[in-house]
Amino acid sequence: MSETEPHPSSRDAALSRRRLLRAGMSAAAALPFGFAASAGRAWGPGPGAPFDPGPLCAPAAATEAATGALRPIKLAWNATAICTAAAPVAKERGIFARHGLDVEFVNFGGSTEALLEAIATGKADAGIGMALRWLKPMEQGFDVKITAGLHGGCLRLLAAKAANITDIASLKGKTIAISDQASPAKNFFGLLLSDAGVDPEREVEWRQYPADLLNLAVEKGEAQALADADPRTWIWLKDPRLTEVATNLTGIYATRSCCVVAVRGSLVRNDRAVAGALTRAVLEGGHRVQTDPADAAAIFANYGGKGSVEDLAAMLRSQTHQHRPVGADLKREIALYGDELKRVNVLRKTTDTAKFAERVYADVLS
């Protein structure tokens, strides 16, 4: 042995230390993002952080998946709403199965209130829908828990160029076409009107039409503007006679989630591991929507989504699928929406929105 060659025992010790270091680094890489900072949180988004939907240990549902047993789950969604694309992506790309779930979709096209009722009454186990539609029924006691935010941006307010509506304030005295009087679009743009000093109940008229005919109401002059969701509004914006006045990413709402994941209350209480696995899977689906919107658009199109794959992908890129709040971040957003909905007389003035957010949110990820 040369004088410069390390002794075998020293070499073995060094190798052992390197193996231990590598093992420690691998274990650290396996930890979900945010675990070191908050041991009670299985996953949390952060600026520039890589997405890691997995918990420290595989949930019970995922353990069952390894043995071939998948847990049947019914997920309610609106198959006409492009913003719910995380669900079919999670199904078609095997994400649900990897989380131990055999997911059956229950379609409630056009009515998120009916979708929420289906979850509350046990016809579905969970669903994806709009917070601004669900918070009022949840205030009234629906046994449904919000477990994650999914993205922001899918509502648009369009106006006839001929009406010279250049901003929210210039809607004063105008008629806005909507699909129904409790729609998320009405609730949200009512908030913007209030912020702009326009009374959304007395100084504008909300006129109801069938959802697919809102643009015709503006074209005929029966309304000067319309408020609805993608994909309709994105497609209507191609009409050179229409202009976009605002979206639900306007101003302070740019960092808010509009669509949320909600789970049947009894499932959260009785099978929290499954509720957590479902929430993680949908969040992972949302991450794939963000990173590959073209693939998500192609999948959604196969489920009957309106518009070309190119249009659908452009819609997804315009939305904030990187914004998927959970925990304290999501509870803060719920409380803010609650305060704002009180201001436009959707929620009761007496509702304590901090307590309300605490009650309707369930942490199933820690």
Side-chain angles (χ1 to χ4, degrees), residues 2-360:
S2 71
E3 294 181 356
T4 58
E5 185 176 351
H7 189 276
S9 61
S10 300
R11 184 169 58 242
D12 291 346
L15 287 171
S16 295
R17 285 194 296 271
R18 284 197 293 271
R19 291 191 188 103
L20 182 60
L21 179 61
R22 283 197 297 269
M25 292 174 64
S26 298
L31 288 173
F33 174 75
F35 184 84
S38 174
R41 187 174 186 176
W43 170 77
F51 177 75
D52 183 356
L56 180 61
C57 300
T63 303
E64 291 176 5
T67 64
L70 298 181
R71 167 67 184 266
I73 286 287
K74 289 185 177 181
L75 180 67
W77 73 314
N78 183 342
T80 67
I82 181 65
C83 56
T84 62
V89 167
K91 188 175 182 71
E92 297 302 322
R93 293 296 173 251
I95 297 171
F96 285 135
R98 287 202 300 274
H99 284 267
L101 305 173
D102 178 14
V103 172
E104 174 189 349
F105 288 153
V106 182
N107 180 26
F108 285 88
S111 177
T112 51
E113 198 162 32
L115 189 155
L116 179 65
E117 185 177 358
I119 303 170
T121 58
K123 296 175 184 175
D125 299 298
I128 299 172
M130 301 204 66
L132 285 173
R133 186 63 173 259
W134 285 2
L135 293 183
K136 179 60 179 179
M138 294 179 83
E139 180 195 42
Q140 295 171 324
F142 274 51
D143 187 22
V144 174
K145 301 295 183 183
I146 296 172
T147 59
L150 196 51
H151 70 84
C154 57
L155 298 176
R156 302 178 194 276
L157 191 148
L158 312 182
K161 288 181 179 177
N164 294 318
I165 298 172
T166 56
D167 56 19
I168 288 290
S170 56
L171 284 161
K172 185 176 180 178
K174 302 295 194 295
T175 297
I176 305 172
I178 52 173
S179 60
D180 70 88
Q181 295 294 336
S183 72
K186 180 188 175 186
N187 287 343
F188 177 77
F189 294 111
L191 293 175
L192 288 192
L193 285 163
S194 178
D195 291 342
V198 179
D199 189 325
E201 295 184 356
R202 297 180 179 86
E203 295 183 315
V204 298
E205 179 184 356
W206 303 94
R207 189 174 296 175
Q208 186 171 333
Y209 294 89
D212 289 330
L213 301 180
L214 298 181
N215 61 326
L216 294 181
V218 176
E219 182 181 325
K220 292 179 179 179
E222 297 176 14
Q224 291 76 53
L226 66 88
D228 203 63
D230 292 340
R232 293 186 189 91
T233 48
W234 181 277
I235 294 170
W236 290 335
L237 194 52
K238 291 184 173 185
D239 187 332
R241 295 168 295 183
L242 295 175
T243 186
E244 184 177 272
V245 179
T247 75
N248 61 338
L249 293 177
T250 294
I252 62 172
Y253 301 96
T255 54
R256 295 268 193 101
S257 54
C258 58
C259 287
V260 295
V261 182
V263 179
R264 177 166 44 85
S266 57
L267 183 65
V268 172
R269 292 187 294 273
N270 301 330
D271 208 338
R272 188 171 173 276
V274 170
L278 178 64
T279 301
R280 287 188 184 92
V282 175
L283 286 171
E284 188 176 344
H287 176 66
R288 284 197 61 128
V289 172
Q290 175 206 351
T291 56
D292 196 348
D295 181 61
I299 290 172
F300 182 76
N302 287 334
Y303 279 78
K306 294 182 179 180
S308 67
V309 171
E310 291 75 17
D311 274 340
L312 294 172
M315 292 177 214
L316 292 173
R317 291 187 188 99
S318 77
Q319 298 163 5
T320 56
H321 288 271
Q322 75 278 8
H323 183 63
R324 298 178 296 274
V326 296
D329 292 339
L330 181 54
K331 284 190 284 187
R332 183 169 54 251
E333 291 189 15
I334 293 170
L336 285 170
Y337 274 138
D339 289 336
E340 292 152 355
L341 291 174
K342 285 168 64 174
R343 183 153 46 86
V344 293
N345 299 316
V346 174
L347 295 190
R348 294 189 295 265
K349 298 290 187 184
T350 56
T351 295
D352 183 322
T353 53
K355 290 181 179 178
F356 172 69
E358 198 70 41
R359 175 171 64 82
V360 302

